[in-house]
Amino acid sequence: MNNQVTKVTVNPKSITDDVLDRVNEMKENDGFLLPKGYSAENALKSAYLVLQGVKDRNKRPALEVCTKPSIANTLLNMVIQGLSPAKTQCYFIVYGNELQMQRSYFGTVAVLKRLDSVKNITAQVVHEGDKFEIGSDENFQTVVKEFQPSIENQDKEIAYAFARIFKNDGTYVDTIMTKKEIDQSWAQTRQKNNKVQQNFSQEMAKRTVLNRAAKMFINTSDDSDLLTGAINDTTSNEYDDERRDVTPVEDEKQSTDELLKGFQKSQEAKAKGVSNNGNSNEGKESSEEVADGQTELFNEGTIKPADEADS
């Protein structure tokens, strides 16, 4: 009697093709719009290549570990946000048996620019000694009144970080974080003892404040629940305090098309604050795991999983 367990490897080409079919169906039937100049087909081809090299912390291929639904939903989430791995706008990480996507700094900028009301975005780091003053506008919203960086302070400790979202109507929204708030945010991420936060603190601080700005801004926007739900879901992937049920679907033979048809409904629910509080112990353990060996590293201003980084 042969008791050997046969590994089931997900075919990424099959899933990417199914996701592309679903996207085309959404465009035709639901009026779903992709960003101008964005090619879902090219982004999925890039994801197809990247996925074959993604591994968990035990060096097991993600395509052998992750469930088919999580891979399909992650790819659809990527396309909805108009992101591409080829442009280092996003990267894939394994948590337990679930594939998830996280955005880079560039990815969050690209996503925010997708919102109808956004014209431009910037994020800046304030070092000790820089001239920095905040105040309030006529609506009593906190704004940056003055910021004068100095090259002499470039190597000093970070004091603050702020992001400014310029709106099409000529107004703007500022989000400001102290270094203590940034450290508290980093302490909640799943990548514990992350050396990136130490070695590339400026880039990581900008990314952190930009993510906070995005989370606060999009939930007050008039854009579709599909887009805002996808943005929120990706942002929450990084943090331990966000819980979701990642228990595998019992019937893994169900078609990817069936899985994807339920994606829009779930994303809309998440955008409206409806959470999935599953009671599965397996789901809880998976969501509490540290990123499976995929510690993100900056290389020439981009974020890459550890397996792609030089040792």
Side-chain angles (χ1 to χ4, degrees):
M1 181 176 180
N2 187 1
N3 293 324
Q4 184 177 0
V5 177
T6 303
K7 293 183 178 179
V8 178
T9 302
V10 176
N11 183 348
K13 184 64 169 61
S14 172
I15 290 186
T16 54
D17 286 347
D18 287 342
V19 171
L20 183 60
D21 289 342
R22 177 58 179 149
V23 169
N24 289 332
E25 181 183 327
M26 290 164 61
K27 289 166 62 178
E28 181 177 351
N29 299 331
D30 303 327
F32 174 66
L33 297 176
L34 291 172
K36 184 178 180 180
Y38 178 78
S39 170
E41 183 175 4
N42 289 343
L44 287 168
K45 285 180 179 179
S46 175
Y48 164 73
L49 296 174
V50 171
L51 278 175
Q52 295 179 74
V54 176
K55 298 179 180 179
D56 68 5
R57 65 179 177 183
N58 296 316
K59 305 303 179 183
R60 297 175 300 178
L63 296 174
E64 292 182 2
V65 175
C66 298
T67 64
K68 188 175 180 179
S70 74
I71 297 174
N73 285 346
T74 293
L75 293 177
L76 188 59
N77 194 319
M78 177 192 76
V79 173
I80 289 172
Q81 295 180 72
L83 301 175
S84 172
K87 297 180 180 179
T88 63
Q89 293 174 337
C90 62
Y91 48 98
F92 305 113
I93 292 178
V94 179
Y95 291 105
N97 62 351
E98 183 184 48
L99 184 73
Q100 292 185 355
M101 179 189 71
Q102 292 185 8
R103 289 187 306 267
S104 69
Y105 171 86
F106 308 107
T108 300
V109 169
V111 162
L112 281 173
K113 286 184 176 180
R114 278 203 64 187
L115 300 178
D116 293 336
S117 58
V118 174
K119 182 178 181 180
N120 202 4
I121 310 103
T122 185
Q124 302 294 333
V125 169
V126 182
H127 295 270
E128 295 286 353
D130 288 344
K131 192 170 184 179
F132 184 67
E133 181 182 349
I134 65 172
S136 61
D137 60 17
E138 62 275 11
N139 297 316
F140 303 105
Q141 299 295 317
T142 302
V143 296
V144 175
K145 291 291 188 180
E146 184 176 8
F147 172 49
Q148 292 185 12
S150 173
I151 189 64
E152 287 79 13
N153 301 326
Q154 193 76 9
D155 295 327
K156 294 182 179 180
E157 293 293 324
I158 294 173
Y160 313 97
F162 70 93
R164 173 168 289 183
I165 300 177
F166 297 89
K167 300 170 67 175
N168 285 324
D169 62 6
T171 62
Y172 57 82
V173 178
D174 286 346
T175 300
I176 305 163
M177 295 181 71
T178 65
K179 184 54 164 59
K180 182 178 180 180
E181 290 176 313
I182 293 170
D183 288 338
Q184 289 174 340
S185 178
W186 289 350
Q188 293 175 348
T189 60
R190 289 175 169 178
Q191 290 98 326
K192 307 303 181 186
N193 301 318
N194 195 340
K195 293 183 179 179
V196 179
Q197 294 163 357
Q198 302 171 17
N199 299 335
F200 301 93
S201 56
Q202 292 189 53
E203 291 90 342
M204 289 296 290
K206 288 180 180 180
R207 180 169 174 265
T208 299
V209 73
L210 193 61
N211 274 336
R212 173 173 287 191
K215 185 174 183 180
M216 295 179 66
F217 188 82
I218 66 170
N219 289 326
T220 59
S221 74
D222 294 327
D223 291 83
S224 70
D225 284 346
L226 184 63
L227 175 59
T228 57
I231 297 173
N232 278 334
D233 196 41
T234 304
T235 302
S236 70
N237 283 343
E238 297 186 38
Y239 298 97
D240 277 334
D241 57 349
E242 299 289 345
R243 298 290 185 253
R244 58 178 58 77
D245 186 3
V246 295
T247 307
V249 178
E250 292 182 2
D251 184 10
E252 290 287 354
K253 294 183 180 180
Q254 62 180 306
S255 69
T256 303
D257 184 60
E258 290 175 337
L259 297 169
L260 297 180
K261 284 182 179 179
F263 182 82
Q264 181 172 359
K265 182 177 180 181
S266 66
Q267 289 300 306
E268 290 176 349
K270 289 178 182 177
K272 294 175 182 177
V274 179
S275 62
N276 181 3
N277 297 320
N279 295 320
S280 167
N281 289 330
E282 183 177 1
K284 291 181 181 179
E285 291 171 359
S286 297
S287 66
E288 291 170 357
E289 287 192 15
V290 177
D292 292 338
Q294 300 294 317
T295 303
E296 59 201 52
L297 296 176
F298 279 89
N299 181 12
E300 298 180 356
T302 61
I303 305 174
K304 295 183 178 180
D307 290 328
E308 299 178 18
D310 295 333
S311 59

